[in-house]
């Protein structure tokens, strides 16, 4: 699937099975949408990661991610939905702005066993809170919880969204290759303090979502990083 953060209905495409040949079928349709993308307006990362989570949870209606109503891409139990892995890859070349996603302090409210230290901070409605919300909460309570785990990384067996983030040409105050959120005295910066702290929050979102954070300063580095 593919979606733009400013909800350009002409290029967003729902999740679909992919064939291998990029010149035909769903693969061709996806790549056509990618190459039709053009940048404009702000960078509402928090709201749009929330829309992706909502898409997984209950499907999305018109005027959200897509120009037509869509059902959740989590499959039925008969088709393997109980063990389905669900991912979001959030890519941006800038710090976020826009209105609050209203998820509260999801990584620090201790409403499940999956939040709290080292994921928690004391700030509300961050990008990291959005990632945590759709990781820790069951996205389909009607299915058995048979999602495969990655011990010590992703221990959730319920249907959840794993978040990966990619920063293009921007850096925060923290170096994810050396900083250790489990270390004594570590604290996540407040994203409200500045643009660099919002890039830190991009890493924090991937950490909370049990995915990965990747930073690339040029196209070659991006290719290497994604590989």
């Amino acid at each position: 699937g593919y979606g733009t953060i400013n909800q350009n209905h002409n290029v967003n495409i729902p999740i679909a099975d992919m064939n291998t040949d990029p010149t035909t079928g769903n693969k061709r349709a996806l790549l056509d949408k990618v190459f039709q993308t053009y940048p404009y307006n702000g960078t509402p990362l928090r709201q749009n990661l929330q829309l992706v989570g909502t898409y997984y949870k209950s499907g999305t209606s018109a005027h959200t991610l897509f120009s037509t109503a869509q059902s959740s891409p989590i499959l039925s139990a008969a088709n393997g939905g109980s063990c389905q892995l669900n991912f979001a890859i959030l890519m941006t070349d800038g710090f976020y702005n826009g209105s609050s996603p209203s998820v509260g302090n999801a990584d620090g409210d201790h409403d499940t066993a999956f939040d709290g230290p080292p994921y928690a901070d004391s700030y509300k409605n961050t990008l990291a809170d959005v990632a945590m919300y759709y990781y820790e909460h069951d996205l389909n309570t009607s299915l058995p919880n048979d999602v495969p785990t990655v011990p010590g990384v992703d221990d959730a067996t319920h249907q959840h969204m794993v978040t990966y983030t990619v920063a293009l040409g921007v850096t925060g105050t923290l170096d994810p290759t050396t900083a250790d959120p489990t270390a004594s005295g570590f604290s996540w910066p407040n994203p409200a303090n500045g643009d660099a702290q919002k890039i830190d929050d991009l890493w924090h979102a991937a950490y909370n979502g049990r995915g990965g954070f990747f930073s690339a300063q040029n196209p070659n580095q991006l290719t290497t990083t994604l590989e």
Side-chain angles (χ1 to χ4, degrees), residues 45-64:
L45 303 183
R46 295 177 297 170
Q47 298 89 333
N48 281 272
L49 186 61
Q50 184 178 42
L51 286 178
V52 176
T54 302
Y55 174 39
Y56 277 123
K57 183 174 177 61
S58 58
T60 184
S61 62
H63 312 301
T64 55

Side-chain angles (χ1 to χ4, degrees), residues 65-182:
L65 283 174
F66 309 110
S67 58
T68 57
Q70 302 291 330
S71 59
S72 169
I74 297 179
L75 302 175
S76 65
N79 289 314
S82 63
C83 55
Q84 179 175 323
L85 301 170
N86 307 297
F87 300 94
I89 303 174
L90 180 65
M91 305 176 70
T92 182
D93 63 352
F95 55 89
Y96 62 75
N97 46 38
S99 58
S100 169
S102 300
V103 295
N105 187 17
D107 58 19
D109 58 11
H110 303 285
D111 63 339
T112 72
F114 300 104
D115 63 20
Y119 309 99
D121 58 27
S122 58
Y123 315 115
K124 296 180 180 180
N125 299 312
T126 67
L127 188 66
D129 286 320
V130 177
M132 175 61 76
Y133 185 89
Y134 291 99
Y135 174 80
E136 66 178 344
H137 291 101
D138 196 335
L139 301 183
N140 190 321
T141 57
S142 68
L143 292 173
N145 294 331
D146 299 325
V147 176
T149 62
V150 181
V153 178
D154 179 2
D155 295 308
T157 59
H158 60 268
Q159 285 67 45
H160 59 277
M161 182 176 75
V162 172
T163 298
Y164 285 79
T165 58
V166 181
L168 304 175
V170 289
T171 56
T173 68
L174 301 174
D175 182 354
T177 64
T178 60
D180 181 6
T182 65

